[in-house]
Amino acid sequence: MLYHEIHSKMKAAFDATTQNAVYPELGVSIHKKTFKSIGAHGILHGSDMLSCAEHQLDFQKFNSNDKVSDHHSLDVPDYFIQENLSYTISLIKPDDVDVVDDLVILFHGLNEKKWDKYLPWAHELATRSKRGVLLYPISFHMDRAPEQWSDRKLMFQIAQIRATDLFENSDSSYVNAAISSRMETQPQRMFWSGLQSYHDIIEIVNSIKAGQFNLIKPEATINLFGYSIGSFLSIILMMSNPNNIFSNSKLFCFCGGMTIDRMFPISKYIMDARAAIAMQKVFAQLLTTNFSSDSRLGHYQNPSMHPEESWFKTMLRYNHFQAEREERFKDLEGRIKALVLEQDEVAPPVESLNTLKGARRSIAIEVEVKDFDFPYTHMVPFPLTTKNGEQVHQAFTQTMQSALTFYNS
């Protein structure tokens, strides 16, 4: 089967699976499990107690006078978005392997609402290597976001308002209206939602190691696959290595691997200009002033208080904490690899080289730069086309094989 055929068949199978199902024609079984977030209380806006339990600190409740929009679904406090608190994690594994002893956790990109794009990736990784692939939805993405955020009619109205002044904004669309509105109003959401995901991932891995996933061996090797912003989260997990749970893990970054300020997410599919600029501006100010205007975020970015979570700030801006970041990457030599695309305008290859290999190219982390012989973008690296079907499939299999070769090395 070619890539577009695998995509079509995997999408049909994934959409049809409610809990567990085997698909012999695809060579995989799909298993879905409900997971309840433990990372939201004390972190997300709307919680009755914004606090750090570890240091027994309470923080003033977040109280913004800026409404996200006139649409109620975007103004619900983050802690009360139920879809984000109880959600589905999915395991795709070879149908002839009862219990996997090798697992890849796959992290998607920014502003994603469906797993469709990633299903062929999971299929290839699973069937080619007899690994299990766990699809993890980042906070407020995939099925962790309210359906209204994907409602074309409702979001089109918001996008029109955001696009009224073309001199101040660009790339506003119904696809990015929700995330753009929320991020512009409160850019720190990137950290707090990421911290929720961070804690939940730790809980999932600890549950696996405790034998609570009957399809994954407790002693299973766990590697990471991060695409785009998923690479950002994965890198922080590798840098922090909470409770040493990723000491033997490897991370493959696809279309990622750079600091946030060296990514360019302005796109009708990701984030509009006003939101992207607001995010960069706020984090630049916070870093320059040592988080003086946000004591709660400053607490979590204090390495003496939170040596693990504070790696986040080293990945915000290339010229901040560069020495600390590059020293940590030296410790991770051989355990991180990036594959980036020559014509990627969102995640430029040179920025992955600058970040992962360092300013002097003295860090032995491999960054593979590829260019495909068909039209592609950051958002659609493998087009669902029949015209270039053979070339797309070849590029796809080579990319996944690059990841598998790295994991096996």
Side-chain angles (χ1 to χ4, degrees):
M1 289 187 291
L2 296 181
Y3 178 78
H4 66 88
E5 295 171 314
I6 299 172
H7 179 279
S8 177
K9 292 181 181 296
M10 281 296 295
K11 181 183 184 307
F14 191 81
D15 290 347
T17 303
T18 56
Q19 188 172 8
N20 303 296
V22 180
Y23 298 93
E25 70 279 13
L26 288 166
V28 299
S29 59
I30 300 175
H31 308 267
K32 297 182 178 180
K33 178 182 177 70
T34 299
F35 181 81
K36 295 187 181 300
S37 174
I38 66 162
H41 187 72
I43 291 175
L44 296 183
H45 164 220
S47 172
D48 59 358
M49 184 64 71
L50 295 179
S51 62
C52 173
E54 181 181 349
H55 297 103
Q56 297 183 331
L57 291 174
D58 295 337
F59 297 97
Q60 183 179 2
K61 289 185 178 182
F62 171 77
N63 182 22
S64 173
N65 294 320
D66 299 323
K67 287 176 65 66
V68 172
S69 74
D70 291 327
H71 192 270
H72 174 69
S73 73
L74 294 180
D75 280 313
V76 174
D78 291 355
Y79 187 68
F80 294 107
I81 296 176
Q82 295 302 311
E83 294 91 338
N84 186 50
L85 302 180
S86 180
Y87 56 90
T88 300
I89 54 176
S90 302
L91 175 69
I92 296 175
K93 70 174 186 64
D95 64 349
D96 58 353
V97 176
D98 293 331
V99 184
V100 297
D101 57 10
D102 211 329
L103 182 71
V104 174
I105 302 179
L106 190 153
F107 300 93
H108 57 79
L110 193 63
N111 197 31
E112 302 267 17
K113 298 296 191 297
K114 295 182 178 180
W115 282 109
D116 299 3
K117 176 168 70 181
Y118 303 96
L119 298 177
W121 306 10
H123 176 271
E124 187 77 359
L125 294 172
T127 57
R128 289 278 290 273
S129 67
K130 301 301 180 182
R131 285 177 165 87
V133 180
L134 186 69
L135 305 179
Y136 176 79
I138 297 171
S139 301
F140 303 108
H141 288 68
M142 300 300 184
D143 62 342
R144 298 182 68 170
E147 291 185 5
Q148 295 97 316
W149 295 3
S150 299
D151 186 295
R152 182 167 186 162
K153 183 178 180 180
L154 291 174
M155 293 302 109
F156 181 73
Q157 295 171 0
I158 295 172
Q160 280 188 310
I161 295 172
R162 294 187 61 81
T164 51
D165 191 342
L166 297 179
F167 294 102
E168 292 186 3
N169 203 6
S170 70
D171 294 271
S172 183
S173 73
Y174 81 91
V175 177
N176 69 26
I179 191 172
S180 297
S181 300
R182 285 166 45 80
M183 290 301 295
E184 182 183 17
T185 303
Q186 186 65 16
Q188 290 94 323
R189 276 190 168 103
M190 172 166 283
F191 175 74
W192 300 118
S193 62
L195 186 60
Q196 180 192 13
S197 294
Y198 176 92
H199 286 310
D200 287 351
I201 293 161
I202 294 171
E203 179 67 13
I204 289 170
V205 173
N206 285 339
S207 297
I208 291 171
K209 293 182 179 295
Q212 297 175 16
F213 282 69
N214 60 1
L215 298 173
I216 306 171
K217 291 183 178 179
E219 65 276 13
T221 300
I222 297 177
N223 292 310
L224 309 179
F225 186 113
Y227 164 78
S228 191
I229 202 67
S231 292
F232 179 83
L233 175 59
S234 302
I235 285 172
I236 293 172
L237 286 167
M238 292 289 287
M239 295 173 85
S240 61
N241 189 23
N243 301 318
N244 297 313
I245 61 176
F246 297 117
S247 294
N248 299 313
S249 301
K250 290 185 176 182
L251 162 63
F252 184 82
C253 299
F254 181 40
C255 296
M258 61 285 297
T259 54
I260 281 291
D261 67 319
R262 299 301 175 94
M263 295 188 79
F264 304 94
I266 299 175
S267 162
K268 292 183 181 297
Y269 301 99
I270 304 176
M271 192 182 299
D272 67 27
R274 252 177 34 198
I277 292 169
M279 182 179 69
Q280 297 291 4
K281 181 179 179 180
V282 164
F283 282 119
Q285 291 174 335
L286 288 169
L287 285 170
T288 302
T289 61
N290 196 28
F291 301 92
S292 61
S293 63
D294 192 329
S295 59
R296 188 164 75 104
L297 184 55
H299 170 75
Y300 281 93
Q301 294 311 297
N302 184 337
S304 64
M305 292 286 193
H306 288 274
E308 296 174 356
E309 294 93 329
S310 62
W311 285 111
F312 171 79
K313 69 181 180 183
T314 71
M315 289 295 295
L316 287 174
R317 297 186 71 78
Y318 180 77
N319 292 321
H320 284 73
F321 303 102
Q322 183 176 348
E324 294 89 336
R325 182 179 67 242
E326 293 188 359
E327 182 179 356
R328 182 65 180 123
F329 281 153
K330 279 187 174 292
D331 296 335
L332 294 169
E333 290 178 341
R335 295 178 51 215
I336 296 177
K337 177 182 177 178
L339 190 152
V340 287
L341 302 180
E342 186 68 45
Q343 299 178 48
D344 190 338
E345 296 180 351
V346 174
V350 67
E351 302 301 350
S352 184
L353 288 162
N354 288 336
T355 300
L356 294 177
K357 298 190 75 66
R360 295 177 176 83
R361 300 296 190 265
S362 59
I363 304 171
I365 289 179
E366 183 181 359
V367 177
E368 182 180 358
V369 182
K370 293 187 72 69
D371 193 18
F372 302 147
D373 59 353
F374 51 82
Y376 64 87
T377 65
H378 175 87
M379 287 70 69
V380 187
F382 309 115
L384 297 173
T385 175
T386 56
K387 180 181 178 181
N388 300 304
E390 293 284 354
Q391 295 98 312
V392 171
H393 186 75
Q394 183 179 16
F396 160 66
T397 56
Q398 288 176 350
T399 300
M400 296 303 120
Q401 185 57 52
S402 179
L404 292 175
T405 300
F406 171 65
Y407 293 145
N408 293 333
S409 62

